[in-house]
Protein backbone atom coordinates (compact mmCIF):
# COMPACT_ATOMS: atom_id res chain seq x y z
CA UNK A 1 0.00 0.00 0.00
CA UNK A 2 2.82 2.41 0.85
CA UNK A 3 4.58 1.69 -2.45
CA UNK A 4 1.40 2.17 -4.49
CA UNK A 5 0.65 5.47 -2.73
CA UNK A 6 4.19 6.68 -3.42
CA UNK A 7 3.95 5.67 -7.07
CA UNK A 8 0.57 7.34 -7.47
CA UNK A 9 1.85 10.55 -5.88
CA UNK A 10 4.89 10.51 -8.15
CA UNK A 11 2.71 9.93 -11.21
CA UNK A 12 0.36 12.79 -10.32
CA UNK A 13 3.38 15.05 -9.77
CA UNK A 14 4.77 14.25 -13.23
CA UNK A 15 1.38 14.84 -14.87
CA UNK A 16 1.04 18.21 -13.12
CA UNK A 17 4.58 19.23 -14.11
CA UNK A 18 3.87 18.34 -17.74
CA UNK A 19 0.64 20.35 -17.68
CA UNK A 20 2.44 23.40 -16.29
CA UNK A 21 5.23 23.06 -18.87
CA UNK A 22 2.69 22.72 -21.68
CA UNK A 23 0.84 25.83 -20.53
CA UNK A 24 4.10 27.78 -20.33
CA UNK A 25 5.06 26.65 -23.83
CA UNK A 26 1.63 27.67 -25.14
CA UNK A 27 1.91 31.13 -23.57
CA UNK A 28 5.41 31.64 -24.95
CA UNK A 29 4.22 30.62 -28.41
CA UNK A 30 1.49 33.29 -28.52
CA UNK A 31 1.85 35.62 -31.46
CA UNK A 32 1.47 39.36 -31.14
CA UNK A 33 -2.08 40.39 -32.00
CA UNK A 34 -4.40 43.37 -31.75
CA UNK A 35 -6.18 41.62 -28.90
CA UNK A 36 -2.92 41.19 -26.98
CA UNK A 37 -1.95 44.82 -27.50
CA UNK A 38 -5.38 45.96 -26.31
CA UNK A 39 -5.46 43.61 -23.32
CA UNK A 40 -1.87 43.94 -22.15
CA UNK A 41 -0.80 47.33 -23.47
CA UNK A 42 -3.58 49.38 -22.00
CA UNK A 43 -4.45 52.87 -23.14
CA UNK A 44 -1.20 53.69 -24.91
CA UNK A 45 -1.52 50.78 -27.38
CA UNK A 46 1.99 49.54 -26.64
CA UNK A 47 3.39 46.66 -24.59
CA UNK A 48 6.62 47.31 -22.73
CA UNK A 49 8.92 44.61 -21.33
CA UNK A 50 7.39 44.77 -17.86
CA UNK A 51 3.85 44.41 -19.22
CA UNK A 52 4.88 41.52 -21.47
CA UNK A 53 6.74 39.74 -18.67
CA UNK A 54 3.83 40.22 -16.29
CA UNK A 55 1.34 38.89 -18.83
CA UNK A 56 3.43 35.79 -19.63
CA UNK A 57 3.99 34.94 -15.96
CA UNK A 58 0.32 35.45 -15.07
CA UNK A 59 -1.04 33.57 -18.09
CA UNK A 60 1.36 30.68 -17.46
CA UNK A 61 0.11 30.49 -13.88
CA UNK A 62 3.55 31.20 -12.45
CA UNK A 63 2.41 34.21 -10.40
CA UNK A 64 -0.77 36.06 -9.53
CA UNK A 65 -1.25 39.54 -10.98
CA UNK A 66 -1.72 40.89 -7.44
CA UNK A 67 1.78 39.61 -6.55
CA UNK A 68 3.30 41.48 -9.48
CA UNK A 69 1.33 44.62 -8.58
CA UNK A 70 2.62 44.42 -4.99
CA UNK A 71 6.21 44.03 -6.18
CA UNK A 72 5.93 46.97 -8.59
CA UNK A 73 4.35 49.12 -5.88
CA UNK A 74 7.24 48.31 -3.57
CA UNK A 75 9.71 49.21 -6.34
CA UNK A 76 8.01 52.60 -6.70
CA UNK A 77 8.29 53.14 -2.94
CA UNK A 78 12.01 52.35 -3.03
CA UNK A 79 12.60 54.52 -6.13
CA UNK A 80 12.43 57.77 -4.16
CA UNK A 81 14.19 59.69 -6.94
CA UNK A 82 11.62 58.49 -9.52
CA UNK A 83 14.35 57.57 -12.01
CA UNK A 84 12.95 54.13 -12.78
CA UNK A 85 16.06 52.56 -11.27
CA UNK A 86 17.15 51.68 -7.76
CA UNK A 87 20.56 53.12 -7.06
CA UNK A 88 22.76 54.86 -4.50
CA UNK A 89 20.87 58.14 -4.94
CA UNK A 90 17.66 56.43 -3.80
CA UNK A 91 19.43 55.00 -0.78
CA UNK A 92 20.99 58.35 0.13
CA UNK A 93 17.68 60.21 -0.29
CA UNK A 94 15.75 57.61 1.73
CA UNK A 95 18.28 57.90 4.55
CA UNK A 96 18.11 61.71 4.41
CA UNK A 97 14.31 61.63 4.63
CA UNK A 98 14.41 59.13 7.47
CA UNK A 99 16.84 61.31 9.46
CA UNK A 100 14.64 64.37 8.83
CA UNK A 101 11.51 62.50 9.96
CA UNK A 102 13.24 61.24 13.11
CA UNK A 103 14.46 64.76 13.88
CA UNK A 104 10.86 65.97 13.68
CA UNK A 105 9.68 63.10 15.86
CA UNK A 106 7.80 61.50 12.96
CA UNK A 107 7.87 57.97 11.69
CA UNK A 108 9.61 57.66 8.33
CA UNK A 109 7.61 55.70 5.79
CA UNK A 110 7.51 54.93 2.09
CA UNK A 111 7.38 57.78 -0.38
CA UNK A 112 3.95 57.96 -2.04
CA UNK A 113 4.15 56.97 -5.71
CA UNK A 114 2.00 59.94 -6.70
CA UNK A 115 4.76 62.35 -5.69
CA UNK A 116 6.11 61.81 -9.18
CA UNK A 117 8.88 64.36 -8.88
CA UNK A 118 12.53 63.56 -9.03
CA UNK A 119 14.36 64.67 -5.92
CA UNK A 120 17.80 63.49 -6.91
CA UNK A 121 20.05 65.32 -9.31
Amino acid sequence: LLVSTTLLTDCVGHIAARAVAAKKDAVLALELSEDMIEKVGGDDGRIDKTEYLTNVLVEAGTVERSDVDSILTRFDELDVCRSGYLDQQDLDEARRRERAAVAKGEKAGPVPAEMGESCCD
Side-chain angles (χ1 to χ4, degrees):
L1 183 64
L2 181 60
V3 173
S4 64
T5 302
T6 302
L7 290 174
L8 178 62
T9 302
D10 190 45
C11 182
V12 170
H14 285 299
I15 292 170
R18 285 185 184 166
V20 168
K23 187 170 185 179
K24 183 180 89 172
D25 290 344
V27 170
L28 289 174
L30 288 175
E31 296 293 327
L32 185 61
S33 67
E34 289 86 2
D35 288 341
M36 181 189 289
I37 291 172
E38 184 178 324
K39 176 185 170 200
V40 178
D43 294 335
D44 66 357
R46 302 182 327 179
I47 301 171
D48 64 29
K49 285 183 182 183
T50 302
E51 292 168 331
Y52 181 78
L53 175 64
T54 299
N55 185 63
V56 168
L57 292 173
V58 169
E59 292 298 319
T62 306
V63 298
E64 297 291 325
R65 187 165 304 277
S66 61
D67 295 333
V68 174
D69 292 343
S70 296
I71 292 166
L72 293 175
T73 296
R74 182 62 181 143
F75 181 94
D76 289 341
E77 291 171 357
L78 295 171
D79 183 18
V80 295
C81 292
R82 301 295 176 250
S83 64
Y85 298 94
L86 300 179
D87 57 21
Q88 188 64 44
Q89 286 183 314
D90 293 303
L91 182 58
D92 293 343
E93 180 63 18
R95 286 177 176 163
R96 185 194 68 74
R97 289 180 183 191
E98 185 174 348
R99 284 191 303 272
V102 168
K104 291 180 182 178
E106 300 171 353
K107 181 181 177 198
V111 179
E114 60 270 5
M115 277 185 59
E117 63 187 53
S118 176
C119 58
C120 307
D121 296 316

